[in-house]
Amino acid sequence: MSLRARFFLCATSLLALQVSTAAAQESISQSAASSQPRAVQKPTNTVDDGPSMMGSTSPTDAAKTETVQVRASRHTSPGGGLMVHEDAAKSRSTVTQEFIAKQAPGLNPMQLIASLPGVNTTSVDPLGLNGGNLTMRGLNASQIGFTLEGFPINDIGNYAVYPQEIVDSENLRTINVEQGSADLDSPHISASGGAVNMYLLDPKDHFGGHLDGTYGSYNARRIFGRVDTGRIGNTHLKGYISFSAAHEDSWRGPGAQKKLHGETKWVNEWGQGNRISLAIVGNQLNNTLFPSMSLANWKKLGTTYTYSGTWDPKNPSANYYKLRQNPFTNIYASAPSTFTLTDHLTLTETPYFWYGNGNGGGAYSESLSSQQYGSQNLSASIGPYNSSNTKSLLVYNPSNTQTYRPGAVTKFALHTGANRLMVGYWFEYSKQIQTSPYSLINMETGAPLDEYGNGPNMVLSNGVTAQYRDTLTQTRIHTLFIDDSLSLLNNRLTLEAGLKYAMITRRGQNNLPDTSTGPYVSGSWYEPLPAASIRYKLNNQFQLFVSGTTNFRIPMNTSLYDAGTYTKGVGYSTQANLNQKPEISISEEAGVRYQGSLFNGTLTYFHYNFTNRLYSQTVILPNGSTYSQSINGGGSHANGVDFEIGTRPILYHLRPYVSAEYIDARTDSNVAAGGSGDYVASKGKFAPQTAKTQVAFNLDYDDGHLFSGFNLKYVGKQYSTFNNDLSIPSYVTMNVHAGYRFKSFGFMKNPVLQLNLQNITNKHYLGFVNGSASNGLATTGVYGGKIAAGSTTYLVAAPFFVGGTASVDF
């Protein structure tokens, strides 16, 4: 980021803050007059006291402008639940429970936002139980901040998002997508792009519950149940507990995806705006991984390229599917609460705790007579096997990660007429333990004796347990933020500016010997991040907005460590890069928004500029397992346009929705080509992992009983290399759903039968570039050197799926 640009943003923010603080004019509130359908609904605020501030990530902030319909008798929201009344001075799109309830139950959040502008998502299995991938305006998920109930979801080390672990779709109230930038109070150190914020439904006021069951293709079956306590006694306390269990056979090759998931939320409200809530999410997964593939394998083998389903004890294979498991356990807890301290001052507190433990499995044939311990060559033993009776042995070698992550976001908001001031502080301390031990395989069945690799482990002759990696990372985050908003001209004009100052320290310990950095490493980053925005209401329907923000992402924790195999005279196969700089972005947006009685629409122009753009590159280890590391792609910039429009019911209860994006994203630097010592001529070429054009169309029909819908998504060609010599072609997918709401009878309320069909043309396609490379084909470098062909891998998207669901309330 240029000094001139940073100075300009800082000066703009400070000027706006001074103007806002000095203002004494009182704003005149306007009633938000909009027709409401006859429905079970949750109105949260009936007064327009100014647009959402740039610090509005907590659940109570998000609820201010939402009217959420849940299992309504009539549905009239624009776009079939893909739009809400919006007042943010930046691009923001929202998926509501009305849309979510019509999709196949249990879909992960990435699948549910696929139709929104700028969003490109891919799942490798129909129900999203094996995860998913996302880019937004050409930026991948590790550059997008994800929150649930106001607390962070991204991995603290590599910033990856595992959407299958987060939440059951039945409990989701809304998903807000901020395409350009995260809010100032958003708790992230990796959101150099936008943000995705998920919010849970509140418990009901009366005792009741919900039950649904789904069965579909690939022996997919899932059951979900929720019980609401209603208000307990004469108190305002209410809560719910839910549980789901899902199973889906792998559609490519052997194995299955299995998931157990539980959630509970409790709320107590009193007085004027006082609220305490507690949400706890527990998740346990045991999946079979799907292999990524090269273009050559895709062209030759297509979807038949899978892990092996056959185990031969006499000829054991490292590609046996039971050695490619992905077990993981998560527990999330958050208590977002708001307290009205005075008529004008509120306190919002969001403490949270994040725990995760799991791995991605792999196997490798290891020599027991010759093992490297740094520069030393030692013998090894594992269980009954040692160098005297076994020279080489196939062993299980998972990549384990265990995370403990407490934190809290605290903020005060002062409303004094025309002026609103917010100040806050985010603190987090995390410990992440990452190991990769070698352990025994049951030679009769081919399964590891312990899927977490806990033993028996390979022990070297010096008594040390052998590890492919063995690190402890401690991250401390201190972030201060301030935001000031001034409303003028009867709330038609709103000026806002803010500043976030992030202070992050990482301390690492690498227990491998003879590393290039020594056993202890550290890194510190200090970043001022100014932001400013303007919103002007031409009338009750039209809004104009413009915003400018700065964002950043610090390097992954893997940049601190050596890891992998050791070669004398060379060192470890993966080496630390302590000098890797943080990724800095400046984002500008300007848009017009129309919100009328018939339709809503938004048109947004955006520009972003990156310094030290960190791209994700997938590294394939000798044992077949993979991990991601960052590579510095230098500078990059993009210009683009987002558009969305959705109507309320028109002819025959139809509600169409259309979104589109055009983006021109360019690399501003020549990128280093591996260990060649040369660079590919990537300057000015189109950015990888970015589709130039996307279009989504959703058509919803709902007469209160019969409902159906059609969804189409077009995604343009995506390059997989900086040299633009390899790409995956454009594709179109289509989904269909239909269902019927029956009249309540007896204790069964709102019974519903529905059918969901995904990818109805059964298109087989590569949906995601798994890791960008400098070049895919052999080429000549900038300095005349010969650069060999690089390695790129891709993920195959999910095929045709049909699932039927029966649900009922009680």
Side-chain angles (χ1 to χ4, degrees):
M1 174 170 47
S2 69
L3 290 175
R4 181 179 298 177
R6 178 169 279 183
F7 174 79
F8 174 76
L9 269 175
C10 285
T12 303
S13 300
L14 290 174
L15 177 61
L17 280 168
Q18 290 174 358
V19 171
S20 300
T21 304
Q25 178 180 354
E26 291 288 330
S27 65
I28 300 177
S29 299
Q30 301 180 27
S31 295
S34 59
S35 59
Q36 299 296 333
R38 293 195 303 267
V40 180
Q41 56 192 359
K42 182 183 178 180
T44 56
N45 193 15
T46 59
V47 177
D48 182 4
D49 57 356
S52 301
M53 297 182 73
M54 290 189 293
S56 57
T57 302
S58 70
T60 50
D61 293 324
K64 286 181 179 178
T65 58
E66 294 172 1
T67 298
V68 181
Q69 297 182 345
V70 183
R71 301 180 69 80
S73 58
R74 295 185 63 191
H75 300 264
T76 61
S77 63
L82 286 167
M83 301 186 81
V84 298
H85 180 87
E86 186 57 72
D87 63 6
K90 63 177 182 178
S91 59
R92 186 161 66 189
S93 303
T94 300
V95 172
T96 73
Q97 172 64 207
E98 182 181 349
F99 174 83
I100 294 170
K102 295 176 181 178
Q103 312 312 304
L107 294 186
N108 69 54
M110 285 187 183
Q111 293 171 297
L112 295 172
I113 63 175
S115 294
L116 299 184
V119 177
N120 177 19
T121 67
T122 303
S123 293
V124 296
D125 69 291
L127 292 183
L129 297 177
N130 209 296
N133 298 282
L134 172 145
T135 61
M136 193 157 68
R137 292 183 177 174
L139 308 179
N140 62 49
S142 68
Q143 296 167 291
I144 308 300
F146 282 73
T147 66
L148 174 68
E149 289 289 282
F151 70 91
I153 292 296
N154 301 67
D155 185 274
I156 189 61
N158 65 3
Y159 316 127
V161 179
Y162 306 100
Q164 72 274 31
E165 302 170 356
I166 301 173
V167 65
D168 275 330
S169 61
E170 291 92 339
N171 290 336
L172 274 171
R173 172 164 56 94
T174 57
I175 309 175
N176 293 344
V177 174
E178 300 172 324
Q179 289 91 343
S181 62
D183 287 324
L184 287 171
D185 66 338
S186 191
H188 299 291
I189 58 174
S190 60
S192 53
V196 176
N197 303 311
M198 295 158 281
Y199 301 100
L200 297 174
L201 290 167
D202 273 356
K204 295 179 181 178
D205 290 336
H206 303 285
F207 176 81
H210 174 80
L211 181 68
D212 65 61
T214 301
Y215 184 80
S217 308
Y218 312 108
N219 196 27
R221 51 194 188 272
R222 179 180 181 273
I223 189 168
F224 169 89
R226 181 181 64 234
V227 175
D228 285 82
T229 65
R231 294 190 182 275
I232 299 176
N234 294 322
T235 72
H236 295 281
L237 179 66
K238 57 184 179 178
Y240 65 71
I241 299 174
S242 71
F243 175 80
S244 70
H247 174 100
E248 178 189 56
D249 290 343
S250 297
W251 70 274
R252 284 175 55 212
Q257 330 309 318
K258 302 174 184 178
K259 176 179 176 179
L260 296 176
H261 190 94
E263 297 173 13
T264 184
K265 182 175 180 179
W266 296 83
V267 174
N268 192 20
E269 296 176 304
W270 71 96
Q272 295 297 316
N274 295 299
R275 172 188 174 97
I276 294 177
S277 67
L278 172 65
I280 301 175
V281 178
N283 188 81
Q284 186 176 60
L285 288 164
N286 199 323
N287 295 334
T288 301
L289 297 171
F290 289 97
S292 58
M293 65 173 67
S294 65
L295 280 178
N297 280 334
W298 172 249
K299 293 176 181 177
K300 180 181 179 180
L301 302 173
T303 59
T304 64
Y305 181 78
T306 65
Y307 291 126
S308 172
T310 304
W311 174 258
D312 182 0
K314 297 181 180 179
N315 187 26
S317 170
N319 281 326
Y320 184 53
Y321 80 97
K322 289 185 178 180
L323 300 175
R324 304 290 175 167
Q325 301 298 304
N326 178 210
F328 219 95
T329 298
N330 302 83
I331 298 174
Y332 306 137
S334 174
S337 303
T338 298
F339 306 95
T340 301
L341 304 181
T342 71
D343 289 342
H344 302 289
L345 181 64
T346 60
L347 165 66
T348 301
E349 181 74 24
T350 307
Y352 61 86
F353 180 76
W354 198 108
Y355 168 78
N357 183 33
N359 66 54
Y364 184 55
S365 291
E366 286 286 330
S367 169
L368 298 184
S369 58
S370 179
Q371 279 287 315
Q372 287 296 135
Y373 181 67
S375 60
Q376 300 180 59
N377 190 289
L378 305 173
S379 62
S381 61
I382 177 170
Y385 305 97
N386 55 59
S387 57
S388 64
N389 59 35
T390 305
K391 299 301 180 184
S392 180
L393 181 70
L394 183 68
V395 292
Y396 182 58
N397 184 213
S399 181
N400 294 322
T401 297
Q402 191 172 49
T403 303
Y404 301 88
R405 189 179 179 186
V409 180
T410 303
K411 65 179 182 182
F412 291 90
L414 178 65
H415 295 242
T416 56
N419 183 242
R420 297 183 299 165
L421 176 67
M422 178 194 72
V423 294
Y425 169 62
W426 169 40
F427 170 76
E428 181 180 294
Y429 166 72
S430 69
K431 290 176 62 177
Q432 191 167 65
I433 303 164
Q434 296 178 288
T435 60
S436 188
Y438 303 86
S439 63
L440 281 179
I441 295 169
N442 185 326
M443 286 300 171
E444 295 299 320
T445 66
L449 293 186
D450 186 290
E451 61 183 8
Y452 287 88
N454 289 327
N457 292 130
M458 180 187 293
V459 179
L460 303 175
S461 57
N462 64 354
V464 175
T465 299
Q467 298 271 10
Y468 197 86
R469 67 170 182 174
D470 188 3
T471 63
L472 166 64
T473 308
Q474 300 178 74
T475 305
R476 289 178 173 84
I477 303 169
H478 300 272
T479 298
L480 302 171
F481 52 89
I482 182 171
D483 181 63
D484 201 33
S485 175
L486 175 65
S487 295
L488 303 171
L489 305 178
N490 293 337
N491 196 31
R492 293 175 64 185
L493 174 64
T494 302
L495 306 175
E496 186 173 5
L499 178 68
K500 175 189 289 188
Y501 190 75
M503 300 162 282
I504 301 104
T505 301
R506 271 190 168 151
R507 298 286 184 265
Q509 179 177 335
N510 193 345
N511 295 317
L512 297 181
D514 302 325
T515 61
S516 61
T517 62
Y520 300 103
V521 292
S522 64
S524 297
W525 298 268
Y526 304 90
E527 292 293 337
L529 304 167
S533 69
I534 301 172
R535 186 201 71 160
Y536 182 72
K537 295 179 68 174
L538 297 174
N539 52 41
N540 288 335
Q541 290 78 39
F542 279 101
Q543 300 177 16
L544 302 177
F545 62 87
V546 61
S547 67
T549 59
T550 51
N551 303 283
F552 82 121
R553 178 173 65 140
I554 71 171
M556 297 181 182
N557 63 352
T558 53
S559 66
L560 299 175
Y561 305 114
D562 292 354
T565 57
Y566 188 94
T567 303
K568 289 185 178 180
V570 177
Y572 287 92
S573 55
T574 300
Q575 297 190 353
N577 183 2
L578 300 183
N579 297 320
Q580 195 170 64
K581 297 179 180 179
E583 177 178 271
I584 306 294
S585 68
I586 300 177
S587 174
E588 299 95 21
E589 294 183 318
V592 56
R593 182 180 290 132
Y594 176 83
Q595 299 178 126
S597 60
L598 180 61
F599 69 90
N600 288 8
T602 304
L603 177 66
T604 307
Y605 163 78
F606 63 88
H607 170 83
Y608 63 70
N609 187 75
F610 274 79
T611 303
N612 300 319
R613 173 78 179 269
L614 301 179
Y615 286 86
S616 178
Q617 184 180 56
T618 298
V619 178
I620 304 175
L621 303 176
N623 63 6
S625 61
T626 64
Y627 71 93
S628 294
Q629 69 176 14
S630 293
I631 60 172
N632 193 326
S636 68
H637 73 276
N639 292 280
V641 176
D642 282 344
F643 171 74
E644 67 176 335
I645 185 171
T647 78
R648 290 179 172 82
I650 52 176
L651 190 64
Y652 301 116
H653 307 285
L654 294 172
R655 289 180 293 173
Y657 170 88
V658 177
S659 72
E661 178 178 86
Y662 171 83
I663 184 172
D664 183 29
R666 300 287 171 173
T667 302
D668 295 335
S669 308
N670 293 323
V671 175
S676 67
D678 208 338
Y679 293 77
V680 297
S682 57
K683 185 176 181 179
K685 293 187 176 178
F686 205 84
Q689 291 185 311
T690 305
K692 181 178 289 187
T693 54
Q694 294 186 74
V695 178
F697 172 71
N698 190 79
L699 183 62
D700 178 87
Y701 173 88
D702 195 329
D703 66 8
H705 290 289
L706 178 65
F707 61 91
S708 63
F710 170 78
N711 180 273
L712 177 147
K713 183 67 182 282
Y714 166 81
V715 178
K717 178 176 70 173
Q718 302 170 69
Y719 289 109
S720 56
T721 66
F722 288 89
N723 211 31
N724 290 179
D725 52 8
L726 289 180
S727 64
I728 58 176
S730 61
Y731 61 86
V732 176
T733 58
M734 291 178 280
N735 305 321
V736 173
H737 72 263
Y740 192 84
R741 303 184 189 92
F742 297 87
K743 293 182 179 180
S744 301
F745 57 95
F747 67 91
M748 294 191 294
K749 303 175 183 178
N750 306 315
V752 178
L753 292 177
Q754 71 182 64
L755 191 68
N756 293 89
L757 291 81
Q758 302 175 24
N759 192 2
I760 59 176
T761 61
N762 196 26
K763 182 177 180 60
H764 293 165
Y765 62 99
L766 298 177
F768 191 76
V769 178
N770 201 36
S772 303
S774 59
N775 58 295
L777 306 177
T779 187
T780 301
V782 173
Y783 300 120
K786 300 297 181 182
I787 301 175
S791 176
T792 58
T793 58
Y794 309 85
L795 297 178
V796 182
F800 170 76
F801 172 86
V802 56
T805 301
S807 65
V808 67
D809 293 341
F810 57 88

